[in-house]
Amino acid sequence: MGTPEEASDYLSRTNFKSVIEWLTAEAILNRPDDPMVFCRNLLDQKIDARGGVEYNAEHPTEYVRSCYAEASNLADEHGRIHGKVVAPVTTSSNQQMDILGKKLKILERLIVASRAIADSLDP
């Protein structure tokens, strides 16, 4: 376990506080029935949008700004904000990798079985 200074450095280096602020602002804006699923869907969308590119600590600040701008745009003439529905990502990049990994294992077993059959046949 690290020191408090190391923890503080981590929070600063990763801009983690902005990640939490963004998720909190989105949840307040949208008031989902299940905030855990809602936050997971938001994170999945952002991770998929990165397209395999490394995490950039500046992005959460952009997400927060975008959320506040969207809240301002969603406000009606009385200042009430009507949220949006965040649809789940059908398959996240991690899920796609898991599916491909399973398919690859099946293919490897088929190749091994094909070799065994080929080796057992008399020419």
Side-chain angles (χ1 to χ4, degrees):
M1 190 129 176
T3 67
E5 292 80 18
E6 290 171 330
S8 178
D9 178 56
Y10 171 78
L11 292 174
S12 295
R13 185 171 26 90
T14 61
N15 200 8
F16 193 76
K17 289 180 181 181
S18 289
V19 173
I20 298 304
E21 180 182 359
W22 166 64
L23 290 172
T24 302
E26 287 284 359
I28 291 169
L29 175 62
N30 297 288
R31 300 198 172 125
D33 291 333
D34 188 337
M36 300 291 279
V37 171
F38 178 81
C39 288
R40 182 197 62 210
N41 290 342
L42 283 173
L43 290 167
D44 279 348
Q45 288 176 358
K46 294 300 182 187
I47 292 167
D48 281 350
R50 281 189 350 211
V53 176
E54 272 190 43
Y55 174 75
N56 182 333
E58 294 175 11
H59 289 166
T61 302
E62 294 170 23
Y63 303 157
V64 171
R65 285 187 190 130
S66 176
C67 178
Y68 291 151
E70 183 177 22
S72 179
N73 291 334
L74 290 173
D76 64 16
E77 64 274 4
H78 304 290
R80 287 185 293 244
I81 299 172
H82 304 282
K84 63 181 185 232
V85 175
V86 175
V89 174
T90 53
T91 54
S92 68
S93 297
N94 287 340
Q95 290 170 324
Q96 290 174 356
M97 291 301 292
D98 289 343
I99 292 168
L100 287 174
K102 289 175 184 176
K103 288 181 178 181
L104 181 61
K105 286 181 184 180
I106 292 169
L107 185 57
E108 288 170 345
R109 284 185 278 181
L110 285 170
I111 291 170
V112 168
S114 296
R115 284 185 187 143
I117 291 170
D119 289 344
S120 68
L121 296 175
D122 280 332

